[in-house]
Amino acid sequence: MNKVYEAIEKKGWEKGIARGIEKGMEKGILKTAENMLKEDVDINVIKKVTGLSEKAIMNLKK
């Protein structure tokens, strides 16, 4: 039973790490888009570089 618990715990930990990495990447993309907006980069270029929608980029302007 102990090995089963350890396997479940490890899988949960790995999922937590993966979620953390994903959230960090999302924050980095948003920060990049914000910096590009500050530099007056065209919205279409920001969309292409970051993969964000125009709506998401416009929300960063607020």
Side-chain angles (χ1 to χ4, degrees):
M1 195 66 152
N2 195 21
K3 288 185 180 192
V4 171
Y5 176 75
E6 288 174 10
I8 292 169
E9 185 178 70
K10 182 179 178 187
K11 188 162 184 99
W13 184 79
E14 290 171 351
K15 282 184 179 181
I17 294 293
R19 270 190 243 125
I21 291 170
E22 187 176 325
K23 283 189 175 243
M25 290 176 70
E26 288 172 5
K27 284 184 177 183
I29 290 168
L30 293 173
K31 186 64 177 170
T32 298
E34 286 177 347
N35 290 338
M36 292 174 82
L37 284 169
K38 288 177 187 174
E39 295 296 323
D40 293 322
V41 175
D42 183 79
I43 297 288
N44 290 318
V45 174
I46 299 172
K47 284 171 47 178
K48 186 175 182 178
V49 170
T50 64
L52 294 172
S53 68
E54 187 168 338
K55 182 178 179 182
I57 294 166
M58 297 309 289
N59 284 338
L60 293 173
K61 277 186 144 180
K62 296 177 182 180

